[in-house]
Structures are given as structure tokens and as C-alpha cells.
Amino acid sequence: MKITNLSKTYRPKKSLPVQALKNANFCLADCGMVFFLGKSGSGKSTLLNVLSGLDKADNGSSIEVSGKDLCKLTKSELDDYRNTCCGFVFQEYNLISELNVEENIALAIQLQGQKETNNNVKEVLTKVGLDGYEKRKVTELSGGQKQRIAIARALIKDPDIIFADEPTGALDKSNGDNVMSLLKELSKDKLVIVVSHDKEYAATYGDRIIELEDGVIINDSASDTPCNSENASHKQWNKSKLPLKPALKIGCSNFKRHPIRLIITLIMSVITFSLFGLSINISMMNPYKSFINAVYEKNLEYTAIYKYQEVENSNTGTFDQLIGGDKFVYNELCLSKSDINLLQNKYDLQLNLICSAYIDSFQNSIAATVKQLNKIIPISSDHLSLFADGFMYMSLSECRNMNFEITGRLPENENEIAINECMLNTFSVAGIKENGQTYPINSAGDIIGHSISVLVNTFTNGKPMPNNGKFGDSDIKTIVGVVDTGCDKKCSESHPQSSSIMYAENYHEKIFISENCFDEWSYILCNITPNKSNFKSFANFVFDYNNNNNVFRFSNSIMTDGNMEINAFYRSIDYINMDKNLYTYIGIILLIVSFVFMINFVATSIFGQTKQIGIITSLGANFRQQCKIYLYSSFIIAVVVYLLSIIFTAVGSVLYNNYIVDFSNVSFDLLKFNPALIIILFAIDFTAIILGCILPLKRLRKMSSVEIINKGAIK
Ligand code: ADP
Ligand code: MG
């Protein structure tokens, strides 16, 4: 090694430059024990650092090693030089306390890209007299033992040069002698450079003593040493490699050291992150889409469509309105022929739109009292109806689509009706009363030709009764047919008697009338089954329709539980939309909070790893390998936060769904875990982690190796 014009000036940011080395010139042989001797602050460590490539010398200096000038190399090439040629022994031992003896030693050759074998670890341990200490924790060793492990670590690399900075500084005399004789032993075939302020050691062990004072060589016991590099090794300098396992172990060691901090920040990160996930999940809620999906999932056969007028709620000032719900009042309207045409023409008429009007009764024509019938109804195996659910117009083909069997025919004018099988059952039991006479009914055929009085019920809950005058309070209609709608006793239980329920949204218990009986209709029954694939676009059209504040609304068994009014689902949509806005804002705030949390968490936990990074830097790990320690441990945080957040977001979504479903009285899920969250949470989580890494990594990149080591040593 040939050193020419070697100078080193420190330029601290806040004070004047310090010239720690001044124009040193000397040569070092390839083996032997050289002491740099001097008082504290004389520049010994500085000299050692530049010779080992831990620090850069001033311009104009030259350090020739194996035909290369260290002063002209990049930081990364200097890392390779250290990785291949140099071993280090520090005053403070610089062992990684999270790794055991064996792992500490093995790390040196793992970085060289070699596989550690039990044999070579054992071999170096034997050399330093600590055979059998492989599995020991570093913290359970004495100072002298630690220093010998450090020597073993230097030794296993089979370096050309061993640099030892005050190796006995923290040891007592006997341990110090021990370490010195060990180094002396090694100096037979290696260059061992020892920095010391102890003249006695230098005199006892040194083959050569170079004395320093204020950065100047004031004495050299062998200044005539020739710069012979003939037998200097010309090994290939290798890039360092840090395997996953030690990188993870070192990276995560910091978590172990501050478990409370780890747990608290993890919990906070997961909470804020999960709440963020839940918030954006809520803000992506689409109740209409949920309804359409539910129709398919639950195999709903039909749904009713109503028409409403949307009026701004004049009753302002309620809390509900203040927060965005209850903006409108909905007045129910009847559907006109043009509304029906609009719906029918919009989508392929496979949709089979069927119209129905409201309640009426035919009790005057039953040849029995209600009291008598009420005794029979429970014991009858058939469904007997005393009321009709309303008037319904269906074409013959629509009846066929529904598999309704017709005896006789469908009505053709407003004086004709067809009754349903439930009415027929009642007449079969009680007989029919016509013009003061009673006739027995045994079959569907028997009733055709008879006339009954159809009483239009005015009990319509304030809703306009569709009536163009053709149906009076009590009209006599001729029965021209019986339509079997497939309503048995069990089916009838799912649609209780018309007197007890407003909205008989089903095909059963209706009196069939001709198309022109009414100009307006209360609602439409929409049979989905024949053309399910059209339903989605049809439903979207219905949801989106708004003509001068006239809107259509679906109503069916999955939207209301029978006792709820039709608007329940829609009112809850107002609240859901209000929630969506609210949760979007909450989500943005939570996003920022969780971002700051995670970046801060990652940054602080990896700044806590400077010591370990300093150690592997001295062993020759380059920037990339140093980054691995940060990245692997951060990645673990990211994965933990990610997985837990996904789980909690999913659980939160289920809970929120239960709440909102309860509130809305619907029987389908309104909020499901949106698979997009898997990607959104992943992207944000890992962006935060990467940002959290960039900060410390940028700082790491700027620091010289010796700065990293010194910074780590202070910790
Ligand atoms: P020794 O190891 O002989 O005690 P050093 O080589 O550590 O001495 O230091 C030599 C001189 O350089 C001292 O005056 C010290 O204050 C100064 N010095 C060392 N490191 C730095 C640094 N990073 N920044 C500024 N000055 C430094
Ligand atoms: Mg020093």
C-alpha cells in the first residue's frame, strides 16, 4: 500500500474546517503489525478511515492498493474494496446484538456472497479461542470475548488487511494482551493496522510504529519500508450481497427493541387505515346497484312500479334536513297510459308490464255471512278470499307467460270481469247470490255467466282512486272467466288479505278486467322472469327517470318488509347519499392521518437502525444492501398493516351494512366489501411505506460510511 500526499479536511456545517491529516507519505508492507500511535485527536482514526475506504481523502491524495487508487474510486467501489479486502475491529466491538455469535460471524461472508458453513465459523472461533460459543447471545459475552468475536468476524473473510481502531480501549490489561497477541498472530500473513494511544502495547506488539501529532507523522520506526506490491493479492473485488434472513432479522430488531411503540403505532395505523378503507367503501356505496344485484341473487320474479311527485320539503329546519336527509316529500300519483307506454317501449316488452288498480270487495254476492266463512276458512284446505286485491288487466299472452290457466275467457269490455281461483273457492263453499237467489257452484264452469256486485273500496290511504266513472260504488259485472293464478293456501300467507295491507304487490286475488276500464292505474306489476337480462338496464332507466319531478319507484318484498311504507328504501337512499358525502370527507382526512402515521412510523423505526447499518457498512455492504434492511422491515409493516386493514375494513363493512339494512328495512345487502379496496388499500399502504423509506434512504445516501458508523455508534 502506497500513500502519497494524503490529506483529509473535515468541513463541518456549523464550524470551521478541520485539517485532520496533513500531507502524509508512507508505504505499508503486505503483512506485519503497524501501530498508529498518538494522542487523542491527532488524526489516527481519520487515517484508518481513509485507508479502509470508509471516508474519502482530500483531492490530490493517493492511496494505492492492488494497483488501484482508493482516492479515485466511487463510494460503491470502496464498499467492494472493504467487502473483499478489509476486516475491522472496533473499540466498541460493533457486533449486532440481535444476532447470535454464529450469525454475527457468518454475516461477514454472507455479504461476500459466500455460503456460511458451520466449519468455517467453527474454525475462526477456535482460532480466537471461543469454540463452542456459536449459539451464544452477543449480550451475554464479556468485553474481551466480544472483541475476540469481532476478530473472528474479521478473520472469516480472510481479508488482506485488518483495521483495528483502539481494539483494547474498553478492555482490561489481561484481555487487552489477549486481543493484541491474537492480532499479532494474524499479522504473520496479513497487514494488521492498529490505532492506539498506548505506547506500551505499541512497543510490545508493533512491528512498526507511526506516530501522529495534529495530523502530521512525527515519527516512523520503519520509514524506509519499500512500496513492494509484487506479492499483493489481486483478488477480484466483489459486490456485497445481504441475504433475506439476516436483513429481515436486523431490520426487524428495532421493533423488538421498542415493542410498545411498535404495537401502539401499528394499532393506530391499522385503525386509521381501516377506517379510511371503510369510509371510501361507504362513499362508493350504490343502493340502486345493490337492489338490482339483489333482484338477480334472490331470483325475484316481479316487482311493482309506482309513480310519485317529488316536492321539496317545506318543513325545513329539522335535523334530518340539516344533514341532508328528508329533502323531499313524495306524493303518490297514478300511472297514465303514456307512462305505461314509456316503460313498455323503453325496453323489449318481454318485461311483461301488468297494471293493477286498488281494492274492492264482492262480499254482497257471497251467499254466506263473513262470520260463517271465518269458521270455514281455517279448516279449508284451499285459500278462500273475501276480498279482492284490486283490478288487473293482463293480456292473454301475458297470462300464458305467467302460466295462468283460464276457464272461459278474459273480459273484453267494462261490464265483464274474470275472477280468480280464490274467489271461486269461496263461491264453491258458500254459493253465489244473484238477484236475491242463491246458486250452488261446483266448478269454474258453473260460475261463468253469473253476475256479481263489485264494491269499489274507498279505503285508499289518501291516494287518488283511479276511476274514470265506469266503476261506481257498486257495479254489477258479468263473470266471463276464472283465472287460476296458482295461489294456494301457502302462497296466500305471503300476501295477507287486502283489507290488512295497502300494497298487494302480487298477481293473486285480483279481479281481471278489460284494458279500457281505467285511464289511470295505481301501480304496475313488472314480471322480470321472462327477460331477466333486460332488467338491469330497465331498472336503471326507472331509477334515473325524472320528468318535472315525477319519478318512478320500485316496490317489492325485498325493499319493504310489508309494514313499511314504500318510501322507506328511498328515504334511506337520501341518508346513504348524505353519508357518502360525509364519508368522502372523513376518508380524505383519515387518508392524510394514516399516511402521516405510517410514514412517521417507518421513518422513525428505520432511523433506529443506523447502528446496524453502520456495522454492515463497515463490513462492506453497499447502499443497495443497506437499503434492504430498511425496505424489508418496512415491507413487513406494510404487509401487516395491509392485511389487518383489509380484515377490519371487511368486518366494518359488514357491521355498517347491518346497521343501514336495519335502518332502511330492506332485505338485501347495501354495503359489501368492494374488491377495488384490495387494490386501493394496497396502493396507498405501499405508497406510504415507500415514502416513509425514501426520507431515511435519502439521508443514508448522502452520508459517508464513517458518518453512518459514527451516527450509529452514538445511538
Ligand atoms: P484520533 O482518532 O487520533 O483521536 P480523529 O482522527 O478522530 O483523532 O480526529 C482528528 C481531528 O479531526 C480531531 O481534531 C477531530 O476533532 C477532527 N474530526 C474527526 N472527525 C471529524 C468530523 N466528522 N467532523 C469534524 N471534525 C472531525
Ligand atoms: Mg480515534
Side-chain angles (χ1 to χ4, degrees), residues 235-508:
K235 291 191 229 179
Q236 170 86 32
W237 293 357
N238 290 322
K239 290 228 166 297
S240 54
K241 290 188 191 79
L242 184 60
L244 177 69
K245 205 178 142 195
L248 270 180
K249 212 160 176 180
I250 298 168
C252 298
S253 63
N254 196 48
F255 305 150
K256 272 191 221 153
R257 228 173 312 124
H258 306 282
I260 309 266
R261 189 177 77 186
L262 171 72
I263 289 167
I264 290 175
T265 25
L266 262 187
I267 290 173
M268 294 309 286
S269 302
V270 171
I271 288 176
T272 51
F273 208 55
S274 306
L275 287 176
F276 161 72
L278 183 60
S279 301
I280 50 168
N281 199 22
I282 293 172
S283 67
M284 291 189 296
M285 237 166 121
N286 186 341
Y288 298 130
K289 213 170 152 186
S290 304
F291 167 69
I292 293 168
N293 288 340
V295 165
Y296 287 114
E297 274 166 26
K298 293 182 186 270
N299 254 320
L300 211 64
E301 286 169 9
Y302 57 88
T303 172
I305 299 171
Y306 291 75
K307 188 179 172 185
Y308 285 86
Q309 187 188 27
E310 198 178 66
V311 185
E312 194 121 354
N313 195 347
S314 58
N315 181 17
T316 51
T318 68
F319 179 69
D320 283 348
Q321 283 184 315
L322 193 72
I323 57 173
D326 269 3
K327 266 196 208 133
F328 300 104
V329 176
Y330 295 95
N331 298 323
E332 195 171 340
L333 302 175
C334 286
L335 288 117
S336 65
K337 287 228 159 81
S338 64
D339 292 325
I340 293 161
N341 284 339
L342 176 78
L343 293 171
Q344 281 182 325
N345 294 338
K346 196 70 200 174
Y347 292 92
D348 193 351
L349 230 170
Q350 292 298 309
L351 279 168
N352 203 359
L353 297 158
I354 299 162
C355 312
S356 177
Y358 268 109
I359 305 165
D360 77 300
S361 186
F362 55 94
Q363 283 168 15
N364 286 351
S365 302
I366 304 170
T369 63
V370 173
K371 221 173 173 181
Q372 286 168 329
L373 285 168
N374 278 341
K375 275 186 193 156
I376 303 166
I377 287 169
I379 53 168
S380 165
S381 58
D382 293 318
H383 175 216
L384 308 181
S385 70
L386 307 185
F387 303 88
D389 269 346
F391 301 109
M392 172 157 72
Y393 165 71
M394 271 177 94
S395 70
L396 189 61
S397 65
E398 284 167 346
C399 281
R400 292 215 172 110
N401 259 341
M402 302 292 290
N403 289 324
F404 292 174
E405 255 174 54
I406 304 168
T407 309
R409 59 172 174 83
L410 288 171
E412 280 161 6
N413 60 57
E414 59 259 37
N415 296 317
E416 296 179 348
I417 57 167
I419 61 166
N420 57 64
E421 75 275 27
C422 315
M423 292 166 74
L424 178 68
N425 290 338
T426 312
F427 287 119
S428 297
V429 169
I432 187 165
K433 215 159 62 180
E434 192 182 3
N435 297 326
Q437 272 207 288
T438 299
Y439 303 93
I441 303 294
N442 295 316
S443 67
D446 287 352
I447 206 161
I448 291 170
H450 283 286
S451 293
I452 60 170
S453 135
V454 177
L455 197 73
V456 175
N457 199 324
T458 49
F459 175 43
T460 57
N461 205 20
K463 195 177 131 154
M465 185 67 195
N467 193 339
N468 62 358
K470 288 172 188 162
F471 273 62
D473 276 355
S474 175
D475 265 336
I476 305 296
K477 305 289 175 192
T478 307
I479 299 170
V480 295
V482 177
V483 180
D484 188 341
T485 62
C487 182
D488 54 18
K489 201 151 190 173
K490 201 166 165 217
C491 158
S492 73
E493 281 158 13
S494 66
H495 50 92
Q497 294 279 303
S498 49
S499 58
S500 64
I501 185 157
M502 282 286 96
Y503 304 99
E505 291 153 357
N506 61 70
Y507 289 93
H508 314 296

Side-chain angles (χ1 to χ4, degrees), residues 10 12 18 20 39-46:
Y10 291 107
V18 181
K39 280 186 239 148
S40 177
S42 56
K44 310 181 295 291
S45 296
T46 306

Side-chain angles (χ1 to χ4, degrees), residues 49-70:
N49 291 339
V50 290
L51 293 187
S52 60
L54 283 174
D55 212 348
K56 274 273 195 188
D58 291 348
N59 285 340
S61 312
S62 158
I63 304 166
E64 261 179 59
V65 183
S66 317
K68 288 181 188 154
D69 184 355
L70 296 189

Side-chain angles (χ1 to χ4, degrees), residues 624-674:
R624 279 178 71 154
Q625 310 308 313
Q626 294 160 13
C627 291
K628 275 189 188 172
I629 291 187
Y630 284 166
L631 294 175
Y632 288 169
S633 55
S634 312
F635 186 75
I636 287 186
I637 300 170
V639 169
V640 169
V641 171
Y642 177 60
L643 292 180
L644 288 178
S645 308
I646 293 273
I647 292 169
F648 285 124
T649 303
V651 171
S653 301
V654 170
L655 295 178
Y656 190 84
N657 176 61
N658 289 349
Y659 161 74
I660 197 94
V661 160
D662 220 40
F663 172 79
S664 311
N665 244 298
V666 296
S667 54
F668 56 91
D669 289 338
L670 285 165
L671 181 66
K672 282 187 180 164
F673 181 81
N674 193 327

